Amino acid sequence: VLLGSILLIPSLAASGFAIGFGAPLAAVFGGFFAVGISIGILATAGITLLQGSSEQAEMGRVNAAHQFINTLSISWGIALGGAILLFVVDRQLGDVEIVRNVLAGDDVSVRAAARDAVQVGLVWVIVAACGLGLGCVSAAWQLRQRSRV
C-alpha cells in the first residue's frame, strides 16, 4: 500500500508536466499508465491487507466494503476533476459550452484559447490529485506504523 501510494505522486507529477509543457501524447499516456500501475498496486495491496486482517466469516463484507469505497473514490475523483477542469475553463474563457460540445461528440472546431484553457485545467486537476495522493501516502504510512505495533 505504501509503495503504491509513493509511486502515485511522481506518476501524477510526470503526467502533469507532460500535459503542462505540451509533451507528445505518448508521454502523457506513459504518465497515465504509470498512474494506473500505482493505483493498481495500491488497490490490490489494500484488499489483500484487509482480507489478511479479517476473519473468514467476514470476508464477503470486507470485499464489498472495499469495492464500495473503490467505486466511491472513482466517482468522487471524476466529479472533482471535472469540476476543477470546468472551473478553470470558465475562468479563462467565460464559457464552458465548447468543452460540453466536445464531450458530447459534436463536430466542433476548437479554438486555440479553448485548448489552452483545457490544458491549464488538466494541470490543475493533476495538482489536486497530487495533493490527494499525498494524503494517501500519509494514510498508508499511518497504517504501516500501526501494523508494526
Side-chain angles (χ1 to χ4, degrees), residues 18-19 21-30:
I19 292 169
F21 291 112
L25 199 53
V28 175
F29 286 155

Side-chain angles (χ1 to χ4, degrees), residues 27-66:
V28 175
F29 286 155
F32 283 143
F33 179 77
V35 169
I37 294 294
S38 302
I39 291 171
I41 291 170
L42 179 61
T44 303
I47 189 63
T48 304
L49 177 68
L50 285 172
Q51 288 173 341
S53 62
S54 301
E55 296 177 22
Q56 186 67 27
E58 297 294 320
M59 202 60 65
R61 288 187 180 130
V62 167
N63 289 332
H66 182 267

